[in-house]
Amino acid sequence: MSVCTFIASDFLLTEVSPVQDYPFEINLDNGTMYDGGADDNYFLHSFQDVQNYSDKKNGVCLEWNYFTEGRAKQIIEYIKNALQNTTSIELWHVWLMDYYEFEDRPVIHKQTVSIDELTTKHIKEIDDAEIWNTPDKMYPNRPSFYCLEIKR
């Protein structure tokens, strides 16, 4: 099980890969990561489990080592292009799970913005969202899922 950020749509979404290979270095001594610093250093892979989380039929999973303004701007452009074919796109941040008992169903936090209002701050908030923040005192083991719906 792990955290996943994905984009969901009713229209088929294209996969994206960096144009070249970049280094990935983790320095545990000073707590830093380096991945070449390029804005195109992220992946959007096909996400087959999208219907476990959304009513949308298609999805791509976002993989990046960390958020940057440049990468977020590229994701916004990707969403703008995708919105030419559909009326709304969803950006999700979830814990990958196969089955929920009533007591452990996630709490879903949903927000809607228009594409003209979408900023890199929205992307960062979704990327930084805390899944296991125990929002429900009655069921402290319930995760929080986050969905940002972006409309044309």
Side-chain angles (χ1 to χ4, degrees), residues 86-103:
T86 188
T87 58
S88 72
I89 298 282
E90 295 172 345
L91 179 62
W92 284 84
H93 187 71
V94 302
W95 185 259
L96 296 176
M97 300 175 83
D98 293 331
Y99 176 74
Y100 311 115
E101 295 288 335
F102 178 77
E103 293 83 13

Side-chain angles (χ1 to χ4, degrees), residues 119-135:
T119 66
T120 58
K121 182 180 176 187
H122 291 105
I123 307 294
K124 182 164 180 48
E125 286 174 358
I126 289 286
D127 190 55
D128 288 346
E130 184 65 38
I131 299 289
W132 294 102
N133 58 5
T134 61

Side-chain angles (χ1 to χ4, degrees), residues 19-43:
V19 295
Q20 68 181 53
D21 289 334
Y22 294 99
F24 182 56
E25 301 165 7
I26 299 174
N27 185 326
L28 295 177
D29 294 333
N30 63 15
T32 61
M33 289 187 294
Y34 176 72
D35 68 354
D39 286 338
D40 70 342
N41 196 2
Y42 64 91
F43 295 86

